[in-house]
Amino acid sequence: MAERTKWLVDTEWLEANLDNPDVVILDGSWYLPQLQRDPKAEFARAHIPGAMFFDIDEIADLSTDLPHMLPSPELFSTELSKMGMSNGQTVVVYDGVGIGSAPRLWWTFQVMGIKDVYILDGGLPKWKAEKRPVTDVIQTRAPGHFTAKLDHQAVRNFDDMLEAIKDDGVEIVDARSTERWRGIGPEPRPNLSSGRMPGSKNVPFQDLVDDNGQIKDVDFLKQRFVAAGVDLSKPIITSCGSGSTAAILFLALDTIGQKQLSLYDGSWTEWASREGSIIEKD
Protein backbone atom coordinates (compact mmCIF):
# COMPACT_ATOMS: atom_id res chain seq x y z
CA MET A 1 0.00 0.00 0.00
CA ALA A 2 1.29 3.46 -0.88
CA GLU A 3 2.54 5.52 2.04
CA ARG A 4 0.17 8.22 3.26
CA THR A 5 0.25 10.93 5.90
CA LYS A 6 0.82 9.96 9.54
CA TRP A 7 -1.84 12.48 10.57
CA LEU A 8 -4.76 10.23 9.58
CA VAL A 9 -6.85 7.85 11.68
CA ASP A 10 -9.11 5.36 9.95
CA THR A 11 -12.82 4.93 10.47
CA GLU A 12 -12.39 1.50 12.07
CA TRP A 13 -10.07 2.90 14.75
CA LEU A 14 -12.40 5.80 15.50
CA GLU A 15 -15.47 3.60 15.84
CA ALA A 16 -13.55 1.40 18.28
CA ASN A 17 -12.68 4.51 20.32
CA LEU A 18 -16.05 6.28 20.38
CA ASP A 19 -16.40 5.67 24.11
CA ASN A 20 -12.79 6.47 24.96
CA PRO A 21 -12.89 9.53 27.28
CA ASP A 22 -9.40 10.54 26.16
CA VAL A 23 -10.46 10.85 22.52
CA VAL A 24 -12.18 14.09 21.51
CA ILE A 25 -13.98 14.20 18.15
CA LEU A 26 -14.57 17.55 16.45
CA ASP A 27 -16.61 18.36 13.36
CA GLY A 28 -14.80 21.30 11.76
CA SER A 29 -16.96 21.58 8.63
CA TRP A 30 -16.99 24.95 6.85
CA TYR A 31 -18.18 25.83 3.34
CA LEU A 32 -18.08 28.83 1.03
CA PRO A 33 -21.45 30.65 1.04
CA GLN A 34 -22.18 29.85 -2.62
CA LEU A 35 -22.30 26.13 -1.77
CA GLN A 36 -25.41 26.89 0.33
CA ARG A 37 -24.49 24.32 2.95
CA ASP A 38 -25.11 25.01 6.62
CA PRO A 39 -22.52 23.01 8.59
CA LYS A 40 -24.16 23.61 11.96
CA ALA A 41 -27.55 22.42 10.70
CA GLU A 42 -25.97 19.38 9.06
CA PHE A 43 -24.15 18.59 12.31
CA ALA A 44 -27.39 18.87 14.29
CA ARG A 45 -29.08 16.38 11.95
CA ALA A 46 -26.33 13.77 11.85
CA HIS A 47 -22.81 13.56 13.25
CA ILE A 48 -20.42 10.97 14.60
CA PRO A 49 -21.53 9.97 18.12
CA GLY A 50 -19.78 12.02 20.77
CA ALA A 51 -18.53 14.65 18.31
CA MET A 52 -18.71 18.35 19.08
CA PHE A 53 -19.00 21.13 16.50
CA PHE A 54 -16.05 23.49 16.18
CA ASP A 55 -17.02 26.73 14.43
CA ILE A 56 -13.86 28.14 12.83
CA ASP A 57 -15.66 31.45 12.22
CA GLU A 58 -16.64 31.87 15.89
CA ILE A 59 -13.54 30.58 17.66
CA ALA A 60 -11.46 33.11 15.78
CA ASP A 61 -10.01 36.60 15.92
CA LEU A 62 -13.23 38.62 15.68
CA SER A 63 -11.45 41.99 15.78
CA THR A 64 -10.93 41.74 12.00
CA ASP A 65 -13.44 41.41 9.18
CA LEU A 66 -11.28 38.71 7.59
CA PRO A 67 -12.85 35.24 7.83
CA HIS A 68 -11.82 32.67 10.47
CA MET A 69 -8.53 34.28 11.40
CA LEU A 70 -6.49 32.41 13.99
CA PRO A 71 -7.71 33.14 17.54
CA SER A 72 -5.35 34.19 20.29
CA PRO A 73 -3.99 31.34 22.43
CA GLU A 74 -5.97 32.78 25.35
CA LEU A 75 -9.28 32.71 23.48
CA PHE A 76 -8.55 29.26 22.06
CA SER A 77 -7.72 27.93 25.54
CA THR A 78 -10.87 29.45 27.07
CA GLU A 79 -13.24 28.18 24.39
CA LEU A 80 -11.81 24.66 24.37
CA SER A 81 -11.90 24.48 28.14
CA LYS A 82 -15.61 25.43 27.98
CA MET A 83 -16.15 22.60 25.49
CA GLY A 84 -14.70 20.16 28.01
CA MET A 85 -11.30 19.68 26.46
CA SER A 86 -8.03 19.30 28.34
CA ASN A 87 -4.39 18.92 27.42
CA GLY A 88 -3.28 15.34 26.92
CA GLN A 89 -6.33 14.17 25.01
CA THR A 90 -6.20 12.77 21.48
CA VAL A 91 -8.14 15.00 19.09
CA VAL A 92 -9.73 13.69 15.88
CA VAL A 93 -11.14 16.24 13.44
CA TYR A 94 -13.33 15.65 10.40
CA ASP A 95 -15.50 17.52 7.91
CA GLY A 96 -18.40 16.90 5.56
CA VAL A 97 -16.40 16.46 2.34
CA GLY A 98 -13.50 14.26 3.48
CA ILE A 99 -10.52 16.60 3.17
CA GLY A 100 -11.93 20.12 3.13
CA SER A 101 -11.85 22.31 6.22
CA ALA A 102 -10.66 19.62 8.66
CA PRO A 103 -6.99 20.31 7.82
CA ARG A 104 -7.51 23.95 8.85
CA LEU A 105 -8.66 22.78 12.28
CA TRP A 106 -5.80 20.25 12.42
CA TRP A 107 -3.36 23.07 11.57
CA THR A 108 -4.90 25.32 14.23
CA PHE A 109 -4.27 22.71 16.91
CA GLN A 110 -0.74 22.16 15.61
CA VAL A 111 -0.05 25.91 15.74
CA MET A 112 -1.45 26.04 19.28
CA GLY A 113 1.13 23.49 20.38
CA ILE A 114 -1.12 20.42 20.35
CA LYS A 115 0.53 17.65 18.34
CA ASP A 116 -1.77 14.73 19.26
CA VAL A 117 -4.38 15.76 16.68
CA TYR A 118 -5.45 13.72 13.66
CA ILE A 119 -7.78 13.88 10.68
CA LEU A 120 -10.41 11.21 10.05
CA ASP A 121 -9.45 9.54 6.78
CA GLY A 122 -12.26 10.17 4.30
CA GLY A 123 -14.21 12.24 6.82
CA LEU A 124 -17.95 11.99 7.29
CA PRO A 125 -18.65 10.79 3.71
CA LYS A 126 -16.50 7.67 4.18
CA TRP A 127 -17.93 7.12 7.67
CA LYS A 128 -21.49 7.21 6.33
CA ALA A 129 -20.66 5.13 3.24
CA GLU A 130 -19.46 2.38 5.56
CA LYS A 131 -22.77 2.52 7.46
CA ARG A 132 -21.07 3.51 10.70
CA PRO A 133 -23.23 5.12 13.43
CA VAL A 134 -24.42 8.71 13.33
CA THR A 135 -26.63 10.56 15.79
CA ASP A 136 -28.47 13.84 16.31
CA VAL A 137 -27.68 13.84 20.05
CA ILE A 138 -25.46 16.80 20.95
CA GLN A 139 -22.58 15.78 23.22
CA THR A 140 -21.71 17.96 26.21
CA ARG A 141 -18.71 17.57 28.47
CA ALA A 142 -17.87 18.96 31.88
CA PRO A 143 -15.49 21.93 31.60
CA GLY A 144 -11.87 20.99 31.07
CA HIS A 145 -8.52 22.72 31.44
CA PHE A 146 -6.87 23.49 28.13
CA THR A 147 -3.77 25.60 27.66
CA ALA A 148 -2.45 26.60 24.23
CA LYS A 149 0.93 28.02 23.28
CA LEU A 150 1.16 29.67 19.87
CA ASP A 151 3.92 28.62 17.47
CA HIS A 152 4.59 31.98 15.83
CA GLN A 153 6.89 30.42 13.23
CA ALA A 154 3.99 28.53 11.63
CA VAL A 155 1.87 31.64 10.91
CA ARG A 156 2.51 34.50 8.49
CA ASN A 157 0.81 37.92 8.34
CA PHE A 158 0.58 40.62 5.68
CA ASP A 159 3.87 42.29 6.62
CA ASP A 160 5.62 38.92 6.51
CA MET A 161 4.31 38.39 3.00
CA LEU A 162 5.53 41.79 1.82
CA GLU A 163 9.00 40.58 2.78
CA ALA A 164 8.49 37.05 1.43
CA ILE A 165 7.70 38.20 -2.13
CA LYS A 166 11.13 39.86 -2.23
CA ASP A 167 12.97 36.82 -0.84
CA ASP A 168 14.24 34.30 -3.40
CA GLY A 169 14.99 31.91 -0.54
CA VAL A 170 11.29 31.39 0.26
CA GLU A 171 8.57 29.63 -1.72
CA ILE A 172 4.93 30.78 -1.66
CA VAL A 173 2.46 28.12 -2.79
CA ASP A 174 -1.18 29.00 -3.52
CA ALA A 175 -3.99 26.43 -3.18
CA ARG A 176 -6.59 28.31 -5.24
CA SER A 177 -7.70 27.22 -8.69
CA THR A 178 -5.30 27.92 -11.55
CA GLU A 179 -7.83 30.33 -13.11
CA ARG A 180 -8.02 32.45 -9.96
CA TRP A 181 -4.24 32.33 -9.47
CA ARG A 182 -3.65 33.41 -13.06
CA GLY A 183 -6.16 36.24 -12.70
CA ILE A 184 -8.45 34.98 -15.46
CA GLY A 185 -11.20 33.58 -13.20
CA PRO A 186 -13.31 35.39 -10.59
CA GLU A 187 -12.87 35.16 -6.84
CA PRO A 188 -15.84 33.75 -4.90
CA ARG A 189 -15.86 36.81 -2.65
CA PRO A 190 -17.45 39.90 -4.25
CA ASN A 191 -15.33 42.89 -5.22
CA LEU A 192 -12.08 40.97 -4.76
CA SER A 193 -9.57 40.88 -7.61
CA SER A 194 -8.13 37.55 -8.66
CA GLY A 195 -4.45 37.13 -9.48
CA ARG A 196 -1.38 36.08 -7.54
CA MET A 197 1.40 37.21 -5.26
CA PRO A 198 4.68 37.81 -7.12
CA GLY A 199 6.79 34.66 -7.33
CA SER A 200 4.09 32.36 -6.00
CA LYS A 201 3.56 28.84 -7.34
CA ASN A 202 0.18 27.19 -7.84
CA VAL A 203 -0.89 23.77 -6.55
CA PRO A 204 -4.71 23.65 -6.47
CA PHE A 205 -5.76 21.75 -3.36
CA GLN A 206 -8.15 19.58 -5.38
CA ASP A 207 -5.15 18.02 -7.12
CA LEU A 208 -4.02 16.54 -3.79
CA VAL A 209 -7.30 14.85 -2.89
CA ASP A 210 -8.93 11.77 -4.44
CA ASP A 211 -12.53 11.83 -5.63
CA ASN A 212 -13.44 9.89 -2.48
CA GLY A 213 -12.23 12.73 -0.24
CA GLN A 214 -8.95 11.11 0.82
CA ILE A 215 -5.53 12.74 0.53
CA LYS A 216 -3.24 11.15 -2.03
CA ASP A 217 -0.11 9.16 -1.28
CA VAL A 218 3.32 10.58 -0.50
CA ASP A 219 4.90 9.91 -3.90
CA PHE A 220 2.07 11.65 -5.77
CA LEU A 221 2.14 14.65 -3.43
CA LYS A 222 5.87 15.15 -3.86
CA GLN A 223 5.65 14.84 -7.64
CA ARG A 224 2.81 17.36 -7.78
CA PHE A 225 4.73 20.05 -5.90
CA VAL A 226 7.88 19.45 -7.94
CA ALA A 227 5.84 19.64 -11.16
CA ALA A 228 4.57 23.06 -10.07
CA GLY A 229 8.16 24.29 -9.77
CA VAL A 230 8.25 24.30 -5.97
CA ASP A 231 11.78 24.05 -4.57
CA LEU A 232 11.31 21.70 -1.63
CA SER A 233 14.70 22.66 -0.19
CA LYS A 234 13.40 26.14 0.70
CA PRO A 235 11.07 27.27 3.50
CA ILE A 236 7.49 27.24 2.18
CA ILE A 237 4.50 29.48 2.95
CA THR A 238 1.09 28.18 1.92
CA SER A 239 -1.80 30.43 0.95
CA CYS A 240 -5.32 30.16 -0.51
CA GLY A 241 -8.51 32.22 -0.53
CA SER A 242 -9.04 32.63 3.20
CA GLY A 243 -6.52 30.40 4.97
CA SER A 244 -8.57 27.20 4.96
CA THR A 245 -7.46 25.08 1.99
CA ALA A 246 -3.90 26.41 2.48
CA ALA A 247 -3.92 23.96 5.38
CA ILE A 248 -4.41 21.09 2.90
CA LEU A 249 -1.15 22.15 1.25
CA PHE A 250 0.44 22.48 4.69
CA LEU A 251 -0.69 18.92 5.53
CA ALA A 252 0.58 17.59 2.21
CA LEU A 253 3.96 19.29 2.55
CA ASP A 254 4.33 18.03 6.11
CA THR A 255 3.49 14.55 4.79
CA ILE A 256 6.39 14.63 2.34
CA GLY A 257 8.80 15.71 5.06
CA GLN A 258 8.92 19.49 4.64
CA LYS A 259 10.08 20.98 7.97
CA GLN A 260 10.16 24.75 7.38
CA LEU A 261 6.46 25.36 6.89
CA SER A 262 4.11 28.24 7.59
CA LEU A 263 0.67 29.41 6.47
CA TYR A 264 -0.45 32.90 5.47
CA ASP A 265 -3.49 33.30 7.69
CA GLY A 266 -5.18 36.18 5.86
CA SER A 267 -4.35 34.63 2.48
CA TRP A 268 -5.76 36.10 -0.74
CA THR A 269 -8.74 37.76 0.95
CA GLU A 270 -6.36 39.97 2.88
CA TRP A 271 -3.69 40.36 0.19
CA ALA A 272 -6.08 41.50 -2.54
CA SER A 273 -7.83 43.98 -0.26
CA ARG A 274 -4.80 45.69 1.31
CA GLU A 275 -2.96 48.77 0.12
CA GLY A 276 0.67 48.02 -0.66
CA SER A 277 0.05 44.56 -2.05
CA ILE A 278 1.23 43.69 -5.58
CA ILE A 279 -1.11 41.61 -7.73
CA GLU A 280 0.15 39.86 -10.84
CA LYS A 281 -2.10 38.53 -13.60
CA ASP A 282 -1.54 36.73 -16.90
Side-chain angles (χ1 to χ4, degrees), residues 204-217:
F205 76 91
Q206 296 96 330
D207 292 359
L208 309 181
V209 180
D210 283 327
D211 292 340
N212 61 7
Q214 295 175 276
I215 195 162
K216 296 192 176 185
D217 67 69

Side-chain angles (χ1 to χ4, degrees), residues 86-118:
S86 299
N87 296 90
Q89 294 170 318
T90 296
V91 182
V92 178
V93 300
Y94 73 88
D95 62 51
V97 298
I99 291 285
S101 55
R104 169 69 190 199
L105 188 49
W106 166 84
W107 173 79
T108 300
F109 274 90
Q110 292 277 335
V111 170
M112 293 295 177
I114 311 303
K115 303 304 180 185
D116 207 7
V117 55
Y118 302 91

Side-chain angles (χ1 to χ4, degrees), residues 120-174:
L120 178 62
D121 193 15
L124 192 60
K126 187 172 188 288
W127 182 272
K128 285 181 171 179
E130 294 170 349
K131 304 274 192 294
R132 298 187 189 274
V134 294
T135 182
D136 60 0
V137 176
I138 305 295
Q139 173 81 24
T140 57
R141 289 174 173 252
H145 183 70
F146 193 95
T147 304
K149 184 178 180 181
L150 180 63
D151 176 5
H152 292 276
Q153 296 303 310
V155 192
R156 292 288 174 262
N157 60 28
F158 181 76
D159 289 337
D160 295 328
M161 300 311 293
L162 288 175
E163 294 301 314
I165 63 171
K166 297 181 287 186
D167 187 348
D168 290 338
V170 175
E171 292 277 31
I172 302 167
V173 189
D174 194 319

Side-chain angles (χ1 to χ4, degrees), residues 5 10-11 15 19 27-28 30 40 69 81 83 88-90 94 97 121 126 138 147 171 178 182 193 198 231:
T5 177
D10 61 35
T11 50
E15 185 170 8
D19 296 323
D27 183 326
W30 176 87
K40 280 186 180 177
M69 291 287 280
S81 296
M83 292 171 69
Q89 294 170 318
T90 296
Y94 73 88
V97 298
D121 193 15
K126 187 172 188 288
I138 305 295
T147 304
E171 292 277 31
T178 300
R182 291 178 60 195
S193 171
D231 186 342

